Amino acid sequence: MRPSARKLDELREVQIEINAMAHAEGSCLIKMGGTHVLCSASLEEKTPPFLKNTGLGWVTAEYGMLPRATHSRTKREAASGKQSGRTQEIQRLIGRSLRAGIDRAALGERQIVIDCDVIQADGGTRCASITGGWVALRLAVNRLLKAGAISSDPILDNVAAISCGIYGGQPVLDLDYAEDSVAGTDGNFVMTGKGRLIEVQMSAEGNSFAQDELMELLKLAKLGSAALVAAQNKALGGKV
Amino acid sequence: MRPSARKLDELREVQIEINAMAHAEGSCLIKMGGTHVLCSASLEEKTPPFLKNTGLGWVTAEYGMLPRATHSRTKREAASGKQSGRTQEIQRLIGRSLRAGIDRAALGERQIVIDCDVIQADGGTRCASITGGWVALRLAVNRLLKAGAISSDPILDNVAAISCGIYGGQPVLDLDYAEDSVAGTDGNFVMTGKGRLIEVQMSAEGNSFAQDELMELLKLAKLGSAALVAAQNKALGGKV
Amino acid sequence: MRPSARKLDELREVQIEINAMAHAEGSCLIKMGGTHVLCSASLEEKTPPFLKNTGLGWVTAEYGMLPRATHSRTKREAASGKQSGRTQEIQRLIGRSLRAGIDRAALGERQIVIDCDVIQADGGTRCASITGGWVALRLAVNRLLKAGAISSDPILDNVAAISCGIYGGQPVLDLDYAEDSVAGTDGNFVMTGKGRLIEVQMSAEGNSFAQDELMELLKLAKLGSAALVAAQNKALGGKV
Amino acid sequence: MRPSARKLDELREVQIEINAMAHAEGSCLIKMGGTHVLCSASLEEKTPPFLKNTGLGWVTAEYGMLPRATHSRTKREAASGKQSGRTQEIQRLIGRSLRAGIDRAALGERQIVIDCDVIQADGGTRCASITGGWVALRLAVNRLLKAGAISSDPILDNVAAISCGIYGGQPVLDLDYAEDSVAGTDGNFVMTGKGRLIEVQMSAEGNSFAQDELMELLKLAKLGSAALVAAQNKALGGKV
Amino acid sequence: MRPSARKLDELREVQIEINAMAHAEGSCLIKMGGTHVLCSASLEEKTPPFLKNTGLGWVTAEYGMLPRATHSRTKREAASGKQSGRTQEIQRLIGRSLRAGIDRAALGERQIVIDCDVIQADGGTRCASITGGWVALRLAVNRLLKAGAISSDPILDNVAAISCGIYGGQPVLDLDYAEDSVAGTDGNFVMTGKGRLIEVQMSAEGNSFAQDELMELLKLAKLGSAALVAAQNKALGGKV
Amino acid sequence: MRPSARKLDELREVQIEINAMAHAEGSCLIKMGGTHVLCSASLEEKTPPFLKNTGLGWVTAEYGMLPRATHSRTKREAASGKQSGRTQEIQRLIGRSLRAGIDRAALGERQIVIDCDVIQADGGTRCASITGGWVALRLAVNRLLKAGAISSDPILDNVAAISCGIYGGQPVLDLDYAEDSVAGTDGNFVMTGKGRLIEVQMSAEGNSFAQDELMELLKLAKLGSAALVAAQNKALGGKV
């Protein structure tokens, strides 16, 4: 029995509210149960220096968490003077995942910065950030297309992410904090709208795992990812 | 004519939604027109070292802004490795203001940390942080009282803050960003529920100002502050 | 009775020795009783980047304190790797105050950096820094005028600052450390030579204060400021 | 054809020289072709604070690279004042991987710090660090066993890591820099001596990949990992 | 001919004004011509952790320079967030030199921190800091002796420092900035009151030098050091 | 009797293995007994900004130490976020020493960065770094000469460094850690191939020393330096 009484392959309730931040070129508030993340896309009309004169664009991401998004207060990274290794690992993952879903030549020499800020945390914040970050990116690119700044759509496919893990000896989908904090093996799968893989990150801090378990988790991830892609498209209305 | 078509002494619409963050001991989302701030109070059962064995408690504050709370993206302070002078100035002001409204002996040797994070900015973020921060503080103290951890209420009075300034040659209340960015003289008034002063901060970067102007702004601030105190009390229901 | 036996409206002895630093374009050593601050003005023939091609100049300030300027040794900020919030707040105030007394178009595209370093501290260091910083600025601008680098005087008026507070229930002028450390309400007034206001910063950490008290302190501040302006002009001889 | 003319499933030449650092409790120099990493294990007779009085030990890792380990000089992280996100991601992976192969209760309340410093880089430095780091850990634990400080062996199994990727459309084992810098999909597999999985990290920055490709890479990884485990055991002689 | 028209073996005018800082346990303002350094000694009644329970005391030093002590403004180290290599090298030298003149067991488990802040620079600031720092140390130790906190004098001898160099092909004593900035070879000699050596630091950035030149500079240094020791004793009156 | 049973004027065994790092323009591994340092020279085809358009080149150095190069583990400087004062002092010494042996006009507007990383430490790491750093520099310059990038050899002479000290009351050459950690007086001498001096750094933390002792140590240093220069030339074969 899962703490939330969900079935093994059941996602938490997903809500995606678009245009949640007035100033951003694209934004949404994504809720996966008790995990809430504000995602914004900021368009900059120049690339980072290493891409100058290559004709290629760039998508990058930054991740943060409000100090009291968590059960007990977490020290503010701005006050402690540096981003933790965990934060850096997560924002690198978000950026890499979103870049894998975009044709950087079609984007042209501009940069889109995705900011994912966790307002409330209950497990799976990096996956929610990727899924919501893609919606913000989609909206910012729509604006570029509408304005005629680019002629063909650089977005190749939806990108969504979901966590899976072995909880109580059983493979489960979309771990919340109560599950995540005790699962021996868990991981994150980033997938495209067509069900292809972008990132697989499975870790066993406590117990090693077998190839069969990896396969079962992958099966769950496909289910979850398809549902998230549907939620993305529904939130965007006819806007994709 | 103000850009927002408001009257000279008219506040923006004020909304205070309490318990906006699931994990905090007290929290609210305060909206002053387009300025939205998430405020949380985190209770820690020990004081900072300099108060050990004094019997006194402490209230402190931290302030942040999401990178895309603003018209164009602001660099994330956690990434740049330090809090700006502006951020430090604001969070010192919030902490000082809220401490002035509390009896630290009645609070006892514990600390309450107020986090004010600006989700969306349209001028007056430090004032909204103080007004909302006080609501979060009130809720956290209510919890202490209810739990019997303290026997008498350490909160002496409401604390609220409002900006005023000279815009287009006229004294105006509650400047939004369009006004704030051009006002030659502006400032912030922090006041108690009874209308006494806690902080007065008036600045003239462009033009010096006369004592009479200070008096007129103070009159506006009293009006605004009284309305904010009423909004605090209404949001808290019978909970104060 | 004040610890120094001064009258309620009595300044400490003010001494301003100009040209105290051989290399600076303008400098002075200002002493307000036991508070001694070395102030220098450094002229740079370019503005900060955000003013490029605007025709406007800039005045900025930095503040520091020798580790043993204080009763017990204060940690050296260069060693601890950052400036405290207090230091940043003070240097922002000094810069803002001095800019309010200058016509930046008349200054032209150059920057003057005011360094205020506290050699010995006995309360009121930020006010002494502003009063002395203006003298250093005046001397550096005189040099520009004499050299023909600018044709009209960009300095609009003197700028001086003084602290006031409620000590032992009475409004007093120019608090020293013994008063400052116990005063419930105190603040700083920055004024022009003509008695107009540039900054008002009143704070009540312990007790809120009434509008009447603000008015009484403002009255004292005018007296003090006028005396400081006279001391500035006397120190400068016929040089203003 | 691979740049190195290796077969698709062929490892680079592996050399592990134990006791390469005179002062460490365990150490080795591991060479995977042109990638050379010095690995040391430092034993500390206390755990990090969060494990105090739990009876559990800890294994952690730090990773570094000499500035001229790479084709062109990389800025020294000690000089730039922080570890890059890449460095932090790698050292977190090494620590997590090695912890998964140890019984922390059997280790007892002590910490072993694994330092992996890349002397020369030609792709696959994080995998070489894990494989060599385990040898250093094994030697340090041997010393504890020999000294009677612990009674049962806390090491559960060998831990080794190998990279795989899609190069020129073909799945290949143990990518060198020439392959790694152009492969669209690649990843790292950390495995135990018995062939179970500890970490799977597959990334597609350029192209998404199919589940079948993941399976093929996993097959290669098993081959490579088995060979590395053999090399570890051979280097340790009868010492395991 | 030296720029200052001094003879080859002639010191600049030396002035040492004791008790220049009201709050310090010992202090002086030392002037070597245009080089002015404020030196203070701060007594702390505990040693650094590494000396706990050894019965030994410690003397350490910190060095700083006001931004406009120099011909053109130097960036403030507190603002740039770290002390330069030069600053660290100098303060390590001052601390090491003063420790060599003290019996740390006689001092007992306490620490004296010497702060040397350059108010105005014209070459030789590190030597002036050592010579003045010793005077501040002497005064702080006198206070300990007078208070009966220690029974025997821990100061073994005077410590003074002087620079020498090859200028225009000739060995000269006490280089000022005009000489120092062009001298191919120069260095600093720290000596005791009895003429024994504590530190010798000779550097040739431009030209290597011969052993004979080292001997000649050493001869000059002895002359200079003796004069500085006399100046120290004179400034201290009968207080040594 | 020395701990290593060496004679008073006996160097430790010196080994210099050139081309120890595949990617560097010049490199060596130098071993002085148990002290092992990897030295590399990285050629950059531009000078630092302050030399732009002067026609002069630059040689600079960075120094580091693997955390477990030492008896007990030293904190990694990259992790603690800054280089220690000791590190900065050493790398400034290495850079200054190597620049003294080069004609910067003949080098032309390019920079050579020498990295010295201590793999294993047993005293004398800064001297080994200079001696080995010069070999790396020589090899990088050889490459420039061979490529015709420069027409005349900018290297004026060999540069080598050796430590000496008073151990057990006797002057000894090339102190190892066991001697260095107890010697009251020790120092480093940097010399040219012709026996001229570049740097002399003698320190007495414990005891002051006499001029005669300086002379005796200098005599030893000459012997040691000559042997090191011979070892440099032998390692380079006919390549100098």
Side-chain angles (χ1 to χ4, degrees):
Chain A
M1 187 66 146
R2 304 177 70 173
S4 59
R6 279 185 285 150
K7 284 179 290 180
L8 299 182
D9 63 354
E10 187 181 345
L11 284 181
R12 292 176 285 181
E13 190 188 4
V14 183
Q15 295 178 48
I16 302 175
E17 173 200 338
I18 65 169
N19 300 330
M21 300 182 76
H23 303 305
E25 279 75 34
S27 68
C28 74
L29 170 61
I30 182 169
K31 298 186 181 177
M32 299 281 295
T35 289
H36 304 176
V37 186
L38 268 170
C39 304
S40 65
S42 296
L43 178 65
E44 299 175 359
E45 282 296 326
K46 59 175 189 182
T47 48
F50 69 92
L51 287 178
K52 222 176 157 176
N53 300 325
T54 61
L56 299 174
W58 193 245
V59 174
T60 188
E62 287 188 7
Y63 170 92
M65 194 145 67
L66 297 199
R68 201 51 199 279
T70 43
H71 285 263
S72 59
R73 187 174 184 272
T74 307
K75 209 165 157 15
R76 188 179 289 268
E77 289 187 330
S80 61
K82 62 173 182 176
Q83 294 180 300
S84 69
R86 177 186 173 276
T87 291
Q88 292 194 58
E89 196 172 298
I90 292 176
Q91 65 194 14
R92 283 161 59 89
L93 171 65
I94 301 170
R96 214 161 54 225
S97 296
L98 295 179
R99 278 194 298 278
I102 203 154
D103 175 344
R104 288 163 51 211
L107 179 58
E109 284 201 20
R110 49 179 61 84
Q111 176 168 254
I112 299 180
V113 181
I114 306 297
D115 284 289
C116 300
D117 285 273
V118 180
I119 299 305
Q120 192 173 291
D122 186 29
T125 63
R126 77 188 70 189
C127 289
S129 295
I130 292 168
T131 306
W134 184 83
V135 171
L137 174 64
R138 174 72 272 179
L139 289 165
V141 169
N142 286 354
R143 186 178 292 218
L144 280 173
L145 285 165
K146 201 168 169 187
I150 51 178
S151 50
S152 71
D153 187 358
I155 292 190
L156 304 168
D157 200 350
N158 287 47
V159 174
I162 192 66
S163 74
C164 300
I166 310 288
Y167 173 77
Q170 301 249 304
V172 298
L173 181 65
D174 189 20
L175 288 74
D176 56 28
Y177 179 76
E179 294 167 328
D180 189 38
S181 53
V182 297
T185 292
D186 63 10
N188 304 293
F189 295 82
V190 186
M191 302 181 78
T192 67
K194 294 188 191 61
R196 288 175 62 85
L197 293 157
I198 286 176
E199 285 267 342
V200 177
Q201 293 199 332
M202 291 295 308
S203 281
E205 181 134 350
N207 286 303
S208 56
F209 55 100
Q211 183 173 335
D212 286 355
E213 291 172 303
L214 175 60
M215 293 303 101
E216 286 192 73
L217 295 177
L218 183 48
K219 209 180 299 174
L220 284 177
K222 280 186 179 173
L223 281 177
S225 179
L228 291 170
V229 166
Q232 288 176 328
N233 291 344
K234 185 177 158 211
L236 288 161
K239 294 193 195 71
V240 184
Chain B
M1 187 67 147
R2 303 179 69 174
S4 60
R6 280 186 284 150
K7 285 179 288 180
L8 299 182
D9 62 354
E10 186 180 347
L11 284 181
R12 292 176 284 182
E13 191 189 4
V14 183
Q15 297 178 47
I16 302 176
E17 174 199 339
I18 64 169
N19 300 328
M21 300 182 75
H23 303 306
E25 280 74 35
S27 68
C28 75
L29 171 60
I30 182 168
K31 298 187 181 176
M32 299 282 295
T35 290
H36 305 175
V37 186
L38 268 169
C39 304
S40 64
S42 296
L43 178 65
E44 299 175 0
E45 282 297 326
K46 59 175 189 182
T47 47
F50 69 93
L51 288 178
K52 222 175 157 177
N53 299 325
T54 61
L56 300 174
W58 194 245
V59 174
T60 188
E62 287 189 6
Y63 170 93
M65 193 145 68
L66 297 199
R68 200 55 198 279
T70 43
H71 284 263
S72 59
R73 187 174 184 272
T74 307
K75 208 165 158 17
R76 187 179 289 268
E77 289 188 330
S80 61
K82 62 173 182 175
Q83 294 180 301
S84 69
R86 176 186 173 275
T87 291
Q88 292 194 59
E89 196 172 298
I90 292 175
Q91 64 193 12
R92 282 160 59 89
L93 170 65
I94 302 170
R96 213 162 54 225
S97 297
L98 296 179
R99 277 193 300 276
I102 205 157
D103 174 344
R104 287 162 52 208
L107 179 59
E109 284 201 19
R110 48 178 63 83
Q111 175 168 253
I112 300 179
V113 181
I114 307 297
D115 284 290
C116 301
D117 285 273
V118 180
I119 300 305
Q120 193 173 290
D122 186 29
T125 63
R126 77 188 70 189
C127 289
S129 296
I130 291 168
T131 306
W134 183 83
V135 171
L137 175 63
R138 175 72 271 179
L139 290 166
V141 169
N142 287 353
R143 186 178 292 218
L144 280 173
L145 286 165
K146 202 169 168 185
I150 51 179
S151 50
S152 70
D153 187 0
I155 292 191
L156 304 168
D157 200 350
N158 287 47
V159 175
I162 192 67
S163 74
C164 300
I166 310 288
Y167 173 77
Q170 302 250 303
V172 298
L173 180 66
D174 189 21
L175 287 76
D176 57 27
Y177 179 76
E179 294 167 327
D180 189 38
S181 54
V182 298
T185 293
D186 62 10
N188 305 292
F189 295 83
V190 186
M191 302 180 78
T192 67
K194 294 187 192 61
R196 287 175 62 84
L197 292 158
I198 287 176
E199 286 266 342
V200 176
Q201 293 199 332
M202 289 295 307
S203 281
E205 180 134 351
N207 286 303
S208 56
F209 55 99
Q211 183 172 335
D212 286 355
E213 291 172 303
L214 176 61
M215 293 304 99
E216 287 193 71
L217 294 176
L218 183 49
K219 206 179 301 174
L220 284 178
K222 280 185 178 172
L223 282 178
S225 179
L228 291 170
V229 166
Q232 288 176 328
N233 291 344
K234 186 178 157 209
L236 288 161
K239 293 192 196 71
V240 185
Chain C
M1 188 66 146
R2 305 178 69 174
S4 59
R6 279 186 284 151
K7 284 179 290 179
L8 299 182
D9 62 354
E10 186 180 347
L11 284 181
R12 293 176 284 181
E13 191 189 3
V14 184
Q15 296 177 48
I16 302 175
E17 174 199 339
I18 64 169
N19 300 329
M21 299 182 76
H23 304 306
E25 279 75 35
S27 68
C28 74
L29 171 61
I30 182 169
K31 297 187 181 176
M32 299 283 294
T35 289
H36 305 176
V37 186
L38 266 169
C39 304
S40 65
S42 295
L43 178 66
E44 299 176 359
E45 283 296 326
K46 59 174 189 183
T47 48
F50 69 93
L51 287 178
K52 222 175 158 178
N53 299 324
T54 60
L56 300 173
W58 193 244
V59 174
T60 189
E62 287 188 8
Y63 171 92
M65 194 146 66
L66 296 200
R68 200 54 198 280
T70 43
H71 284 264
S72 59
R73 188 175 183 271
T74 307
K75 209 164 157 17
R76 186 179 290 267
E77 290 188 329
S80 61
K82 62 172 182 176
Q83 294 179 302
S84 69
R86 177 186 173 275
T87 292
Q88 292 195 59
E89 196 172 298
I90 292 176
Q91 64 194 12
R92 283 161 58 90
L93 170 65
I94 302 170
R96 214 161 54 225
S97 297
L98 296 179
R99 278 194 299 276
I102 204 156
D103 175 344
R104 287 162 51 210
L107 179 58
E109 284 201 19
R110 47 179 62 82
Q111 175 168 254
I112 300 180
V113 182
I114 307 297
D115 284 290
C116 301
D117 285 273
V118 180
I119 299 305
Q120 193 173 290
D122 187 29
T125 63
R126 77 188 71 188
C127 289
S129 296
I130 291 168
T131 306
W134 184 84
V135 172
L137 175 64
R138 175 72 272 179
L139 290 166
V141 169
N142 286 354
R143 186 179 291 218
L144 280 173
L145 285 165
K146 201 169 167 185
I150 51 179
S151 50
S152 70
D153 187 359
I155 291 190
L156 303 169
D157 200 349
N158 287 48
V159 176
I162 192 67
S163 74
C164 302
I166 310 288
Y167 174 77
Q170 301 250 303
V172 298
L173 180 65
D174 189 21
L175 288 75
D176 56 29
Y177 179 75
E179 294 167 328
D180 189 39
S181 53
V182 297
T185 293
D186 63 11
N188 304 293
F189 294 83
V190 185
M191 301 181 79
T192 67
K194 293 186 192 63
R196 287 174 63 85
L197 293 157
I198 286 176
E199 287 265 341
V200 176
Q201 295 199 331
M202 289 296 306
S203 281
E205 180 133 352
N207 286 303
S208 57
F209 54 99
Q211 183 173 334
D212 286 356
E213 291 173 302
L214 176 61
M215 292 303 100
E216 287 192 72
L217 295 176
L218 183 48
K219 207 178 302 173
L220 283 178
K222 280 185 179 172
L223 282 177
S225 178
L228 291 170
V229 166
Q232 288 176 327
N233 291 345
K234 186 178 156 207
L236 288 160
K239 293 193 196 74
V240 186
Chain D
M1 188 65 145
R2 304 178 68 174
S4 60
R6 280 185 283 149
K7 284 180 290 179
L8 299 182
D9 63 354
E10 186 180 347
L11 285 180
R12 292 177 285 181
E13 190 188 5
V14 184
Q15 296 177 48
I16 302 175
E17 173 200 339
I18 65 169
N19 300 329
M21 299 183 76
H23 304 305
E25 279 75 33
S27 68
C28 75
L29 170 61
I30 182 168
K31 298 186 181 176
M32 301 281 295
T35 290
H36 305 175
V37 186
L38 267 169
C39 304
S40 66
S42 294
L43 179 65
E44 299 175 359
E45 282 297 326
K46 59 174 187 183
T47 48
F50 68 93
L51 288 178
K52 222 174 156 178
N53 300 325
T54 61
L56 300 174
W58 193 246
V59 173
T60 188
E62 286 188 7
Y63 170 92
M65 194 144 68
L66 297 198
R68 199 54 197 281
T70 42
H71 283 263
S72 59
R73 188 174 183 270
T74 306
K75 207 162 157 21
R76 187 179 289 268
E77 289 188 330
S80 60
K82 63 174 183 175
Q83 294 180 301
S84 70
R86 176 185 173 275
T87 291
Q88 292 195 59
E89 195 172 298
I90 292 175
Q91 64 194 14
R92 282 161 59 90
L93 171 65
I94 301 170
R96 214 162 54 227
S97 296
L98 296 179
R99 277 194 299 277
I102 205 155
D103 175 344
R104 287 163 51 209
L107 179 59
E109 283 200 21
R110 49 178 61 84
Q111 176 169 253
I112 300 179
V113 182
I114 307 296
D115 285 290
C116 301
D117 285 273
V118 180
I119 298 306
Q120 193 173 290
D122 187 29
T125 63
R126 77 188 71 189
C127 289
S129 296
I130 292 168
T131 306
W134 184 85
V135 171
L137 175 64
R138 176 72 271 179
L139 290 166
V141 169
N142 287 353
R143 187 179 292 215
L144 281 173
L145 285 165
K146 202 168 167 186
I150 50 178
S151 50
S152 71
D153 188 358
I155 291 190
L156 304 169
D157 200 351
N158 288 48
V159 175
I162 192 67
S163 74
C164 301
I166 310 289
Y167 174 77
Q170 302 250 304
V172 298
L173 181 66
D174 189 21
L175 287 76
D176 56 29
Y177 179 76
E179 294 167 328
D180 189 39
S181 53
V182 298
T185 293
D186 62 11
N188 304 293
F189 295 83
V190 185
M191 302 181 77
T192 67
K194 293 186 193 61
R196 287 175 62 85
L197 293 157
I198 287 176
E199 287 265 344
V200 177
Q201 293 199 331
M202 289 296 307
S203 282
E205 181 135 350
N207 285 304
S208 57
F209 55 98
Q211 182 173 335
D212 287 357
E213 290 173 303
L214 175 60
M215 294 303 101
E216 285 192 73
L217 295 177
L218 182 49
K219 207 180 300 172
L220 283 177
K222 281 186 178 172
L223 282 178
S225 177
L228 291 171
V229 167
Q232 288 175 328
N233 292 343
K234 186 176 156 210
L236 289 160
K239 293 192 198 71
V240 184
Chain E
M1 187 68 146
R2 304 177 70 174
S4 59
R6 281 186 284 149
K7 284 179 289 179
L8 299 182
D9 62 354
E10 186 180 345
L11 285 181
R12 291 176 286 181
E13 190 188 5
V14 183
Q15 295 178 48
I16 302 175
E17 173 199 340
I18 65 169
N19 300 328
M21 299 182 76
H23 303 306
E25 279 74 34
S27 68
C28 75
L29 170 61
I30 182 168
K31 298 186 181 177
M32 300 281 294
T35 289
H36 305 175
V37 186
L38 268 170
C39 304
S40 65
S42 295
L43 178 65
E44 299 175 358
E45 281 296 326
K46 61 175 188 182
T47 48
F50 69 92
L51 287 178
K52 222 175 157 178
N53 299 325
T54 60
L56 299 174
W58 193 245
V59 174
T60 188
E62 287 189 7
Y63 170 92
M65 194 146 66
L66 298 199
R68 200 53 198 280
T70 43
H71 284 263
S72 58
R73 186 174 185 271
T74 306
K75 207 165 158 16
R76 187 179 290 267
E77 289 187 331
S80 61
K82 62 174 184 174
Q83 294 180 299
S84 70
R86 176 185 173 276
T87 292
Q88 292 195 59
E89 195 172 299
I90 291 175
Q91 64 194 13
R92 283 162 58 88
L93 170 65
I94 301 170
R96 215 160 54 224
S97 296
L98 295 179
R99 277 194 299 277
I102 204 155
D103 175 344
R104 287 163 51 210
L107 179 58
E109 284 201 20
R110 49 179 61 86
Q111 176 168 254
I112 300 179
V113 181
I114 306 297
D115 284 290
C116 301
D117 285 273
V118 180
I119 300 305
Q120 192 174 290
D122 186 29
T125 64
R126 77 187 71 189
C127 289
S129 296
I130 292 168
T131 305
W134 184 84
V135 171
L137 174 64
R138 175 72 272 178
L139 289 166
V141 169
N142 287 354
R143 186 178 292 216
L144 280 174
L145 285 165
K146 202 168 168 186
I150 50 179
S151 51
S152 71
D153 187 359
I155 292 190
L156 303 169
D157 199 349
N158 288 46
V159 175
I162 192 67
S163 74
C164 301
I166 310 287
Y167 173 78
Q170 301 248 305
V172 298
L173 181 65
D174 188 21
L175 288 75
D176 56 28
Y177 179 76
E179 294 167 328
D180 189 38
S181 54
V182 298
T185 293
D186 62 11
N188 303 293
F189 295 82
V190 186
M191 302 181 77
T192 67
K194 292 186 192 64
R196 287 175 62 85
L197 293 157
I198 286 176
E199 286 266 342
V200 176
Q201 294 199 331
M202 289 295 308
S203 282
E205 181 134 349
N207 286 303
S208 56
F209 54 99
Q211 183 173 334
D212 286 357
E213 291 173 302
L214 175 61
M215 293 303 101
E216 286 192 73
L217 294 176
L218 183 49
K219 208 179 300 172
L220 283 177
K222 281 185 178 172
L223 282 177
S225 179
L228 291 170
V229 166
Q232 288 176 327
N233 292 343
K234 185 177 157 210
L236 288 160
K239 295 195 194 71
V240 185
Chain F
M1 188 64 146
R2 304 179 67 174
S4 59
R6 279 185 283 149
K7 285 179 289 179
L8 299 182
D9 63 354
E10 187 180 345
L11 284 181
R12 291 177 285 182
E13 191 188 4
V14 184
Q15 296 177 46
I16 302 175
E17 173 200 338
I18 64 169
N19 300 329
M21 299 182 76
H23 304 305
E25 279 75 35
S27 68
C28 75
L29 171 60
I30 182 169
K31 298 186 181 177
M32 299 282 295
T35 290
H36 304 175
V37 187
L38 267 170
C39 304
S40 65
S42 295
L43 178 65
E44 298 175 0
E45 282 297 326
K46 59 174 187 182
T47 47
F50 69 93
L51 287 178
K52 223 175 156 178
N53 299 324
T54 60
L56 299 175
W58 194 245
V59 173
T60 188
E62 287 189 7
Y63 171 92
M65 194 144 68
L66 297 199
R68 199 54 197 280
T70 43
H71 284 264
S72 58
R73 188 174 182 272
T74 307
K75 209 164 158 18
R76 187 179 291 268
E77 289 188 330
S80 60
K82 62 174 183 174
Q83 294 180 302
S84 69
R86 177 186 173 274
T87 292
Q88 292 194 59
E89 194 172 299
I90 292 176
Q91 64 194 14
R92 283 161 58 90
L93 170 66
I94 302 170
R96 214 162 54 225
S97 296
L98 295 179
R99 277 194 299 277
I102 205 156
D103 175 344
R104 287 162 51 210
L107 179 59
E109 284 200 19
R110 48 178 63 83
Q111 176 169 254
I112 300 179
V113 181
I114 306 297
D115 284 290
C116 300
D117 285 273
V118 179
I119 299 306
Q120 192 173 290
D122 186 29
T125 63
R126 77 188 71 188
C127 290
S129 296
I130 292 168
T131 306
W134 184 83
V135 171
L137 174 65
R138 175 72 271 179
L139 289 166
V141 169
N142 287 353
R143 186 178 291 216
L144 280 173
L145 286 164
K146 202 168 167 185
I150 50 178
S151 51
S152 72
D153 188 359
I155 291 190
L156 303 169
D157 200 348
N158 288 47
V159 175
I162 193 68
S163 74
C164 301
I166 310 289
Y167 174 78
Q170 301 250 306
V172 298
L173 181 65
D174 189 21
L175 286 77
D176 56 29
Y177 179 76
E179 294 166 328
D180 189 38
S181 53
V182 298
T185 294
D186 63 11
N188 304 293
F189 295 83
V190 186
M191 301 181 78
T192 67
K194 293 186 191 62
R196 288 175 62 86
L197 293 157
I198 286 176
E199 286 265 343
V200 176
Q201 293 199 331
M202 290 297 306
S203 282
E205 180 135 351
N207 286 303
S208 57
F209 55 99
Q211 183 172 334
D212 286 357
E213 290 173 302
L214 175 61
M215 293 302 101
E216 285 192 72
L217 294 177
L218 183 49
K219 207 180 300 174
L220 283 178
K222 282 186 178 173
L223 281 178
S225 178
L228 291 170
V229 166
Q232 288 175 327
N233 292 344
K234 186 176 157 209
L236 289 160
K239 294 193 196 71
V240 184

